[in-house]
């Protein structure tokens, strides 16, 4: 197989306090550049909307008005760069006080590498295009891009002039700007040996992203490496065969066959409940943050006590996210390296975690209980586990199948009998027909594996149906197309309907 593959290598940084200030200034410049570009795009969109509204007021339908409205060109990245170069040195409007130095209208670009601003303009293009093309993309509709607020958005910036110092593999050099911030070297938390190996194998760094997560700064190298032949499953993987994985809340994951972890065979993985275990500390510092907040002041104008509480909340959330990611990577790596076929449920996480609040006319029931369940599902990360299994399977020669989740926990894996009463308790499964008893989650994992094997089995030619009317169903078996999809009570047709592409200027 020829071509290239993209690998992302993420490493933690240990900047000095002075270097952390520089990184924050670069991130602020990226945020302001994105808002500058989005403001210009939003203004052009509003001009088109006003023309469409005038046609609607004249009696045209909204669809006709959208087609007949005067076309307005949305400026792209390079147009915005020209506009920015023309206005970036404009002074701040208004009179000056005696002895006051004149200030610029856009002071955030001074001394920052120009690539940071250019990449932010490109991000604004991508965000606007995602909104315009949301009906033609997978998933639900995408909302209109929003401005990034200081203290509320992710602090990050992207550059090309960041390279690894190959002498010791413990430092990265971040490029500066001519006449502004000179280039500087930041220490890595650990040696970047994996990145050095990829570069030695002919890899090329396409872009580098620096971001802050909680109290730590991280650097992510986007490396393009030559793609070799597709990997093949090992002999041990082929001998192990297939495995079914059932994800849940009380039990983090259950497998149809045991996984070997630290010389022990494990089939049930208890949920670590990382977010729930951190709720006490989170509530403590979030309440302090709320008490110390002064309404009407920006984040940088708040008191030091408020900033301390804010930093502690961010640090706790980052710690929970890091522990969750570590748990997910541990599970998914063991699964794809010990079996050559992985079967998963095709879960609709967005529908499973929908709110039960309802409306004013039809209020929901058990809203708090459903909110707690949603929080627990998102804490496990069903979608992220599936994503990791799918991309890691390509690296280890493993195949992945997704099956219909309907009745996997109510079906006997021995005789195939489906009955809600089979689930005596949350953990105990006892078949009402054959008496087979097992753990409910392990039984569901076995059913997932069986469905995947039947789904991937070669189809046999069916004998021709004799002429005559098709016999009617006796109504004893429920149509699986209208059956409840899985144990969450969701319907089979749960994919959100995407609306038409939002009309707008070209």
């Amino acid at each position: 197989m020829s071509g290239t593959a993209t690998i992302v290598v993420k490493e933690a940084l240990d900047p000095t306090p002075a270097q952390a200030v520089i990184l924050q200034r670069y991130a602020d410049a990226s945020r302001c550049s994105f808002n500058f570009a989005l403001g210009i795009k939003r203004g052009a969109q509003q001009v088109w909307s006003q023309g469409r509204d005038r046609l609607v007021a004249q009696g045209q339908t909204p669809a006709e008005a959208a087609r007949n409205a005067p076309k307005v060109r949305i400026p792209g990245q390079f147009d915005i760069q020209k506009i920015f170069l023309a206005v970036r040195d404009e002074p701040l409007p208004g009179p000056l006080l005696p002895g006051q130095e004149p200030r610029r209208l856009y002071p955030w670009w001074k001394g920052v590498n120009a690539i940071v601003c250019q990449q932010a303009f490109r991000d604004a293009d991508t965000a606007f295009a995602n909104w315009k093309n949301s009906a033609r993309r997978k998933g639900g509709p995408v909302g209109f891009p929003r401005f990034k607020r200081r203290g509320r958005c992710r602090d990050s910036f992207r550059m090309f002039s960041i390279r690894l110092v190959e002498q010791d593999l413990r430092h990265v050099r971040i490029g500066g700007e001519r006449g502004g911030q000179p280039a500087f070297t930041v220490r890595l938390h650990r040696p970047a040996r994996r990145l050095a190996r990829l570069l030695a194998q002919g890899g090329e760094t396409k872009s580098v992203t620096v971001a802050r997560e909680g109290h730590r700064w991280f650097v992510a190298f986007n490396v393009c490496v030559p793609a070799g032949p597709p990997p093949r499953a090992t002999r041990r993987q082929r001998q192990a065969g297939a495995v079914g994985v059932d994800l849940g809340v009380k039990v983090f994951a259950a497998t149809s066959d045991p996984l070997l972890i630290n010389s022990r065979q494990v089939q049930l993985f208890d949920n670590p409940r990382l977010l729930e275990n951190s709720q006490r500390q989170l509530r403590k510092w979030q309440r302090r943050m709320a008490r110390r907040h002064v309404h009407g002041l920006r984040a940088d104008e708040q008191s030091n006590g408020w900033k301390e509480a804010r930093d502690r909340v961010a640090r706790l959330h980052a710690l929970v996210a890091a522990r969750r990611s570590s748990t997910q990577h541990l599970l998914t790596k063991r699964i794809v390296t010990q079996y050559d076929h992985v079967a998963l449920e095709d879960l609709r996480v967005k529908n499973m975690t929908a709110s039960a609040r309802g409306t004013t006319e039809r209020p929901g029931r058990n809203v708090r209980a459903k909110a707690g369940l949603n929080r627990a599902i998102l804490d496990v990360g069903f979608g992220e586990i599936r994503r990791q299994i799918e991309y890691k399977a390509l690296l280890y020669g493993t195949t992945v199948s997704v099956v219909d989740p309907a009745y996997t926990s109510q079906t006997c894996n021995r005789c195939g009998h489906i009955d809600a009463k089979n689930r005596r308790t949350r953990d105990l499964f006892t078949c009402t027909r054959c008496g087979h008893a097992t753990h409910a989650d392990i039984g569901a994992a076995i059913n997932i594996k069986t469905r995947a094997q039947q789904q991937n089995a070669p189809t046999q030619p069916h004998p021709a149906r004799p002429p005559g009317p098709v016999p009617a169903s006796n109504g004893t078996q429920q149509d699986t197309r209208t059956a409840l999809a899985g144990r969450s009570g969701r319907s089979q047709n749960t994919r959100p309907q995407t609306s038409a592409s939002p009309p707008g200027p070209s």
Side-chain angles (χ1 to χ4, degrees):
M1 183 178 84
S2 61
T4 59
T6 302
I7 298 178
V8 178
V9 181
K10 183 178 178 181
E11 297 289 348
L13 296 174
D14 285 339
T16 63
Q19 291 173 343
V21 172
I22 299 174
L23 296 177
Q24 185 64 52
R25 188 168 76 245
Y26 274 47
D28 290 341
S30 177
R31 172 180 53 83
C32 294
S33 300
F34 178 89
N35 292 341
F36 178 85
L38 183 58
I40 295 176
K41 291 177 178 293
R42 188 174 184 178
Q45 176 70 20
Q46 289 176 349
V47 170
W48 177 86
S49 299
Q50 292 171 0
R52 179 201 57 189
D53 295 341
R54 284 193 295 267
L55 295 180
V56 171
Q58 294 173 5
Q60 296 187 16
T61 64
E64 294 174 346
R67 289 192 301 266
N68 301 330
K71 301 296 182 182
V72 179
R73 184 173 180 273
I74 302 296
Q77 172 189 353
F78 299 105
D79 300 324
I80 294 175
Q81 286 180 206
K82 294 178 182 178
I83 297 173
F84 178 67
L85 291 175
V87 303
R88 67 178 184 178
D89 291 322
E90 288 187 0
L92 190 68
L96 295 177
L97 298 177
Q100 184 180 9
E101 300 250 346
R103 295 186 298 170
R104 290 187 176 89
L105 184 59
Y106 307 105
W108 36 264
W109 67 271
K110 197 67 176 176
V112 177
N113 194 300
I115 302 297
V116 174
C117 301
Q118 294 173 10
Q119 292 300 306
F121 297 155
R122 185 178 179 181
D123 292 341
D125 272 4
T126 302
F128 197 84
N130 289 342
W131 171 72
K132 287 287 292 181
N133 304 325
S134 62
R136 294 186 290 271
R137 300 171 69 245
K138 291 183 179 180
V142 178
F144 191 82
R146 294 179 294 180
F147 292 106
K148 295 183 177 181
R149 290 180 55 186
R150 177 186 298 176
R152 298 295 297 273
C153 68
R154 181 171 179 257
D155 291 331
S156 66
F157 61 92
R158 190 167 63 253
M159 293 178 61
F160 304 115
S161 56
I162 300 180
R163 61 179 180 85
L164 177 67
V165 178
E166 299 181 357
Q167 283 75 11
D168 58 355
L169 307 181
R170 287 298 297 264
H171 296 82
V172 292
R173 185 169 180 81
I174 301 178
E177 178 68 10
R178 182 180 303 174
Q181 171 63 44
F184 58 101
T185 302
V186 183
R187 180 180 174 86
L188 293 173
H189 186 67
R190 63 179 183 180
R193 295 189 178 92
R194 185 187 178 203
L195 177 61
R197 286 196 302 268
L198 293 176
L199 297 177
Q201 295 170 2
E204 181 182 0
T205 302
K206 291 299 184 181
S207 65
V208 184
T209 302
V210 179
R212 185 171 65 87
E213 299 178 6
H215 65 293
R216 301 293 303 268
W217 285 91
F218 293 86
V219 57
F221 290 84
N222 198 333
V223 184
C224 187
V225 297
R232 296 182 55 189
T234 63
R235 180 182 300 177
R236 189 181 70 172
Q237 288 177 273
R238 294 193 298 269
Q239 292 175 350
V243 63
V245 181
D246 178 67
L247 303 177
V249 174
K250 181 179 179 181
V251 176
F252 178 74
T255 58
S256 60
D257 300 272
L259 295 180
L260 187 63
I261 296 181
N262 296 333
S263 302
R264 293 189 304 111
Q265 292 188 342
V266 184
Q267 278 188 275
L268 296 174
F269 297 84
D270 292 333
N271 187 357
R273 300 188 181 273
L274 301 170
L275 183 60
E276 181 180 335
N277 294 337
S278 302
Q279 282 298 326
R280 181 178 179 182
Q281 286 293 318
L282 279 173
R283 282 195 296 265
K284 168 185 173 181
W285 288 102
Q286 285 172 341
R287 288 169 179 170
R288 289 189 183 182
M289 185 176 171
R291 287 196 302 267
R292 297 170 180 176
H293 182 266
V294 179
H295 183 70
L297 296 183
R298 299 195 308 267
D300 59 329
E301 297 176 345
Q302 297 290 338
S303 65
N304 291 333
W306 180 87
K307 294 178 181 178
E308 177 194 8
R310 177 200 61 186
D311 294 341
R312 291 298 293 268
V313 171
R315 183 168 185 166
L316 286 171
H317 277 298
L319 185 61
V320 170
R323 289 173 175 171
R324 181 187 301 118
S325 178
S326 177
T327 305
Q328 293 167 346
H329 279 289
L330 171 67
L331 174 67
T332 57
K333 177 69 174 295
R334 297 298 192 277
I335 291 175
V336 299
T337 56
Q338 296 185 21
Y339 294 90
D340 72 338
H341 184 87
V342 181
L344 301 170
E345 289 180 306
D346 189 13
L347 300 175
R348 307 297 185 192
V349 181
K350 182 177 179 180
N351 299 334
M352 293 170 62
T353 57
S355 174
R357 186 178 301 133
T359 61
T360 306
E361 296 77 12
R362 301 181 61 183
R365 295 164 41 184
N366 299 327
V367 178
R368 292 190 63 180
K370 183 60 168 62
L373 176 62
N374 296 346
R375 194 181 305 114
I377 292 175
L378 296 175
D379 188 28
V380 174
F382 292 171
E384 176 64 15
I385 291 175
R386 174 175 172 177
R387 186 194 71 86
Q388 291 186 14
I389 289 177
E390 289 177 342
Y391 90 79
K392 291 178 182 179
L394 300 176
L395 304 177
Y396 295 97
T398 307
T399 57
V400 180
S401 299
V402 291
V403 301
D404 184 6
Y407 304 118
T408 54
S409 64
Q410 299 178 10
T411 304
C412 177
N413 61 281
R414 177 168 295 179
C415 67
H417 177 59
I418 301 176
D419 189 355
K421 297 180 180 179
N422 290 341
R423 196 82 178 259
R424 300 298 177 89
T425 63
R426 207 226 69 87
D427 296 333
L428 178 61
F429 181 97
T430 304
C431 181
T432 56
R433 174 186 290 177
C434 67
H436 172 63
T438 183
H439 193 283
D441 294 320
I442 294 179
I446 296 175
N447 290 329
I448 295 170
K449 172 184 173 180
T450 304
R451 290 188 184 184
Q453 292 173 339
Q454 295 173 351
Q455 178 177 293
N456 298 326
T459 57
Q460 298 293 335
H462 295 282
R465 182 186 299 274
V470 178
S473 173
N474 56 10
T476 58
Q477 186 173 0
Q478 186 178 4
D479 189 354
T480 57
R481 291 173 297 179
T482 60
L484 294 179
R487 289 149 298 183
S488 60
R490 59 194 182 282
S491 64
Q492 179 69 9
N493 186 16
T494 55
R495 184 177 294 277
Q497 297 180 356
T498 58
S499 58
S501 175
S506 58

